[in-house]
Structure formats: structure tokens, C-alpha cells
Amino acid sequence: MTEAEELPQAPEQARTVFGEFFPEAVRYAELLADAGVKRGLIGPREVPRLWERHLLNCAVLSEVVPEGVTVCDVGSGAGLPGIPLALVRPDLKITLLEPLLRRTNFLQEVVELLGLDHVTVVRGRAEEMLGKVPPVHVVTARAVAPLDRLAGWGVPLLRPYGEMLALKGDTAEEEIQGARAALSKLGVVGTSVLQVGEGIVDPLSTVVRVEVGESPGGVRFAAKRAKAARTSRTRRRR
């Protein structure tokens, strides 16, 4: 690595956030700075700010994730926010969903190396996973797509009354306004913008919370969900 690409020492906030899993967080940061860059999963210019902009920014998402739930990290990429969330919250059962093979290979290596027994890596596109992965309480995402498109992929994967938590930037409110029609069709019953990471990250991490009612995905996905359930029952009987 050049000097500009050196991984900085972990800040004190990282020790606070990751606690007993701080050594695993350091190892993950080292993997991102090395193999992550070499495989094109993150840009070399991101290495100096891996801790503040990426690991800590994602880890504080844990503040708004309920205890003991199932989580699907859509478009997990290099494992953000799924891996930091898994390190902070061993009570969660997390699926890292990613369509690209080189990324799922990296994610599987990270999960095994860090001993994350509560994390599963699945290769596939979110829009093709209905009926193939169990519905979850929470869908997470970061820098995947605009909110209307992201909701179309993530909301159908939720259980009734679940929620999608998307890390977004300064345009979070605008994205919600622009996506209202699409969200309504998907059975969304509530949206809000949350700020998390007080005392840990500056600026605070912005999270868009999308809550669904009893029919995640709305009418559009009701038939697909029923068909997927019938197919699953048929497979079990064979």
C-alpha cells in the first residue's frame, strides 16, 4: 500500500462500539484494506477512512435494530452494514445477500475467519429471493439504490409488520417524498428518518426506516408469496 492507502489505527470509539469483538473488527478492517481493495470491493481512497465512514457508520445501525430478530442485508457487497452489525449484535441472525460471486466469496471468507456463526451468506438478487429465503423481521441496506427501487427489492422479503432500515445521506427526506407512491403500493404503512451514532460518529449516521403492515410488498407480491409458499410445501412433502 502507498502511504495514502494505509489503514489508520482504530479510534477509541471502535473499542467502545465493538467491545469484546474489537479484535475481530480490526481483522475485518485489515481484510477490507487488503483483499477488499485488491478484489475491487472498495476503492483504495476509502482505506484511510474505513473506520469512521464505513465500520463505525454501519455499526451504529444496531441502535435501531430490535433484539433477537432475523436480518437480511440486501446488496451486502463487502459486508457493509451486515458484518459490522453482526460483530456488534451476536443476538441477531443475519443473512448477507449479494448477487456477485467475487463478493460472496469474500463474504464467506470473512464470516469463517471471524467465526460469525450467526451469519449466512447467500448469493442471489433480492428480487429473485421471494420464497427462497425465509421472511425476515428486518432488511438492511447501504448505498444500494434509490429508495423506491430499494424498497421494491427489500420490502417483499419482510415478515408482516417488519421494517427496512436503509443507511442514507443528506437527501433521505427527499428520497422518501419521491418514493411515496411506490412505497404505498408495496404495503408500507410508515416512514421516518433517524439519526444514530451520537458520540460515536460525526456526522451522525442517517437511517431511513420503512415499516410495513400485514402484507409486505402489497397486492403485487401477495400472489407471488402464496405461490412460493405452495411450492415450498410441495418440496417438503417429496
Side-chain angles (χ1 to χ4, degrees):
M1 288 184 189
T2 65
E3 185 176 350
E5 297 169 354
E6 285 183 358
L7 177 68
Q9 186 174 353
E12 280 304 309
Q13 295 95 319
R15 293 181 181 275
T16 301
V17 170
F18 291 104
E20 64 179 300
F21 293 99
F22 173 71
E24 285 82 1
V26 171
R27 186 71 186 106
Y28 176 49
E30 292 171 347
L31 288 166
L32 286 175
D34 187 5
V37 171
K38 290 176 181 175
R39 299 188 195 183
L41 303 182
I42 65 164
R45 293 184 180 179
E46 295 303 309
V47 173
R49 48 189 182 181
L50 267 178
W51 283 106
E52 287 81 1
R53 180 166 177 167
H54 298 286
L55 274 74
L56 289 174
N57 179 273
C58 290
V60 296
L61 181 63
S62 65
E63 295 177 17
V64 290
V65 177
E67 186 175 349
V69 298
T70 53
V71 177
C72 182
D73 188 32
V74 170
S76 198
L80 301 165
I83 297 292
L85 184 61
L87 289 170
V88 175
R89 296 286 300 277
D91 60 299
L92 304 174
K93 187 175 182 181
I94 299 177
T95 298
L96 306 179
L97 181 59
E98 168 57 46
L100 295 185
L101 180 61
R102 63 187 171 91
R103 293 176 180 172
T104 53
N105 285 342
F106 175 78
L107 292 172
Q108 192 61 52
E109 290 167 18
V110 171
V111 166
E112 292 175 3
L113 187 64
L114 302 185
L116 300 175
D117 297 335
H118 58 306
V119 178
T120 302
V121 178
V122 174
R123 183 185 175 199
R125 298 182 181 278
E127 59 267 37
E128 299 169 354
M129 289 295 108
L130 191 64
K132 296 180 181 179
V133 294
V136 296
H137 298 92
V138 176
V139 163
T140 58
R142 178 180 188 248
V144 174
L147 186 59
D148 54 351
R149 235 184 318 149
L150 176 60
W153 299 335
V155 165
L157 301 179
L158 290 169
R159 293 170 50 141
Y161 307 103
E163 60 186 3
M164 184 175 73
L165 300 172
L167 282 160
K168 288 288 185 178
D170 297 335
T171 61
E173 290 281 6
E174 294 173 25
E175 283 201 50
I176 289 176
Q177 292 302 323
R180 288 218 179 273
L183 296 177
S184 178
K185 291 178 182 177
L186 289 167
V188 171
V189 297
T191 57
S192 54
V193 176
L194 313 172
Q195 301 289 327
V196 295
E198 183 71 44
I200 302 296
V201 291
D202 185 18
L204 298 178
S205 296
T206 300
V207 181
V208 171
R209 171 183 273 158
V210 174
E211 300 169 275
V212 300
E214 62 182 16
S215 184
V219 176
R220 177 180 164 194
F221 284 90
K224 290 183 179 181
R225 186 171 285 105
K227 181 179 178 181
R230 288 195 300 271
T231 301
S232 178
R233 288 195 296 270
T234 301
R235 286 174 182 163
R236 286 198 297 267
R237 284 197 295 266
R238 287 175 182 170

